[in-house]
Amino acid sequence: MNVLDWNTLDADAQARALTRPVQAVAAQTREAVAALVEQVRGVGDIALREITARFDGVTLEKFEVSEAEFAAAELAVPAELRIAMQQAAERIDAYHRAGMARPYSVETAPGVVCEKIIRPIGRVGLYVPAGSAPLPSTALMLGMPARLAGCREVVLCTPPRKDGSADPAVLVAARLTGVHKVFKIGGAQAIAAMAWGTETVPSCDKLFGPGNGYVTEAKQQVAQAGAAAIDMPAGPSEVLVVADAGAVPAFVAADLLSQAEHGPDSQVILLSDDAALIAAVQAEVEAQVVRLARENIARKALDASLLLKVDSIEQAFAISNRYAPEHLILALRQPRDWLDLVEAAGSVFMGDYTPEALGDYCSGTNHVLPTAGAARAYSGVSVASFQNQISVQAASREGIANIGPCALTLARAEGLGAHANAVAVRLGVAP
């Protein structure tokens, strides 16, 4: 990891320090993704078959997971894992159910009633990565709020394995949440298929899920083309830890590595005002990384990761808000006392005994979160992400008499005569 003192850097060096690795290669991936998206849009299943053979090393006659494959998956998943997924699903359900938006109605003036009604998005597409490791937890994180929202049809895409099957745990998780159809398609091509539709894959109204830089770019391209809405930019994983002198170096190092092992384009950052802690964490990272099965992946991520010395914890929060991390860990003695300083983060983990891994799996919060600084404007996936909130209004004769003059004044001020006339004709006055 790179050790830097924030206050010795000039403005340009500070900006470079907070640049995500994926941002540097975005221009290189844009054309490749555009070609894949256009190929799937133009040729459909034939393109999916060719791209899957090229990138996943397997030729599939059928992409949709069959009932026989679901049955085999049920037998392949150990009971311990099934129980853990069920427990996680129950906590995810409890957290998201508590935060569900409610319809309401209010009389804003005598005879004028305004309401909000809530409707599920008709067909949604979920993407569950499995590039370097399958993520059944992502199927839970997306499928549970989709079920609570009441979406008519839920489609899930996940990359095939070398033998042409989907990961059994992902399939069991999908069934736990009530997903309707699962397709063995990965990468940017899966996003294109769910956006535009093919002979096999239905087109979806909105797409959800994390992925690498190619998946994120594909989501942005189909959204810009108007093919499908997307949840948020959710690309390579990242974590930022704010730690004081009392933090446990082994805990902090473990948290940094838990995100570094996601992929070589992940980024992890520690901000601390204590040089001794930074040195201890650096030593712990080296001691722990050699014990990881995914050591090579983690080391590549660490090459673009930072241990930053700051002057104060207040300065650490200022930097964190500028970076807007996906995951923010407060390894502080009284973390709740500092919570008000958090302005931009996907999800916050407070204290020494709240590792980010709990949020990834089973605390109940959602792990599909904005990355690459998008936390400044986006929130993590929730039930509301799968719903449309529609405003409704009704005015009686009394109601338009009460507020019509206000509308007339505003319409006239904007020079919109037809607007004014639509009110005036009902009031029986000149527009």
Side-chain angles (χ1 to χ4, degrees):
M1 297 183 71
N2 302 291
V3 182
L4 300 173
D5 187 325
W6 180 259
N7 292 289
T8 66
L9 305 177
D10 62 23
D12 287 342
Q14 289 177 348
R16 287 194 299 272
L18 297 184
T19 299
R20 273 90 167 168
V22 72
Q23 292 175 342
V25 300
Q28 301 171 25
T29 63
R30 195 170 295 117
E31 288 186 10
V33 169
L36 290 172
V37 169
E38 191 56 37
Q39 189 179 353
V40 173
R41 180 185 181 185
V43 191
D45 283 354
I46 294 175
L48 287 178
R49 199 163 284 114
E50 185 275 321
I51 295 169
T52 300
R54 189 184 348 150
F55 290 116
D56 298 307
V58 59
T59 300
L60 298 176
E61 288 303 315
K62 294 184 177 180
F63 296 106
E64 185 171 0
V65 174
S66 67
E67 285 301 319
E69 289 176 286
F70 276 113
E74 293 284 347
L75 295 174
V77 173
E80 182 181 22
L81 176 54
R82 183 191 307 278
I83 292 169
M85 288 195 294
Q86 182 63 54
Q87 292 173 342
E90 290 170 358
R91 296 189 190 102
I92 295 166
D93 179 276
Y95 174 80
H96 286 80
R97 189 182 295 274
M100 289 178 66
R102 301 288 188 267
Y104 63 84
S105 175
V106 58
E107 188 176 53
T108 60
V112 180
V113 175
C114 294
E115 304 174 56
K116 179 177 74 177
I117 61 174
I118 299 174
R119 298 291 184 265
I121 296 173
R123 182 188 287 140
V124 296
L126 317 181
Y127 184 72
V128 176
S132 58
L135 299 177
S137 56
T138 298
L140 297 177
M141 296 290 175
L142 296 173
M144 293 304 295
R147 183 171 75 177
L148 285 170
C151 297
R152 181 182 70 253
E153 187 173 2
V154 182
V155 173
L156 186 150
C157 281
T158 192
R161 301 191 295 183
K162 294 298 183 183
D163 64 359
S165 67
D167 180 78
V170 170
L171 296 186
V172 171
R175 274 291 164 90
L176 266 176
T177 67
V179 168
H180 298 96
K181 294 182 178 181
V182 176
F183 296 93
K184 294 174 286 187
I185 311 169
Q189 60 271 25
I191 301 303
M194 290 190 289
W196 299 108
T198 71
E199 299 89 332
T200 300
V201 184
S203 60
C204 300
D205 301 306
K206 189 173 182 179
L207 307 182
F208 297 80
N212 60 20
Y214 290 88
V215 169
T216 299
E217 176 63 24
K219 287 172 66 178
Q220 292 173 335
Q221 289 190 17
V222 300
Q224 289 166 1
I230 62 171
D231 50 357
M232 71 191 84
S237 192
E238 58 196 37
V239 66
L240 187 148
V241 181
V242 176
D244 56 22
V248 181
F251 292 178
V252 174
D255 289 335
L256 296 173
L257 289 171
S258 72
Q259 293 308 293
E261 74 170 354
H262 266 296
D265 50 3
S266 295
Q267 187 174 47
V268 299
I269 296 176
L270 168 65
L271 303 178
S272 180
D273 59 348
D274 188 77
L277 176 79
I278 290 174
V281 169
Q282 185 177 28
E284 274 290 339
V285 166
E286 279 302 315
Q288 293 183 28
V289 71
V290 297
R291 302 197 295 266
L292 299 179
R294 297 165 66 84
E295 177 186 355
N296 290 338
I297 293 174
R299 284 195 180 280
K300 290 178 182 177
L302 293 176
D303 286 342
S305 296
L306 303 171
L307 300 171
L308 279 177
K309 170 69 168 59
V310 295
D311 282 348
S312 66
I313 298 300
E314 288 85 356
Q315 185 179 52
F317 277 97
I319 297 168
S320 175
N321 288 328
R322 175 177 171 181
Y323 184 81
E326 177 190 20
H327 306 102
L328 173 60
I329 296 176
L330 306 184
L332 304 170
R333 298 318 86 210
Q334 300 295 331
R336 187 164 292 279
D337 292 347
W338 294 94
L339 192 58
D340 285 348
L341 293 185
V342 177
E343 297 175 1
S347 190
V348 180
F349 303 80
M350 298 200 302
D352 293 333
Y353 293 94
T354 315
E356 185 277 331
L358 293 185
D360 265 354
Y361 296 119
C362 60
S363 66
T365 61
N366 208 289
H367 80 203
V368 182
L369 302 165
T371 66
R376 285 187 288 269
Y378 289 83
S379 303
V381 163
S382 67
V383 177
S385 307
F386 293 87
Q387 296 173 323
N388 290 320
Q389 299 188 16
I390 305 169
S391 60
V392 178
Q393 49 254 290
S396 65
R397 186 184 296 272
E398 176 194 18
I400 196 168
N402 282 323
I403 71 170
C406 176
L408 274 176
T409 300
L410 292 170
R412 289 165 180 161
E414 294 183 352
L416 297 176
H419 281 65
N421 186 62
V423 176
V425 71
R426 289 171 167 82
L427 295 177
V429 301

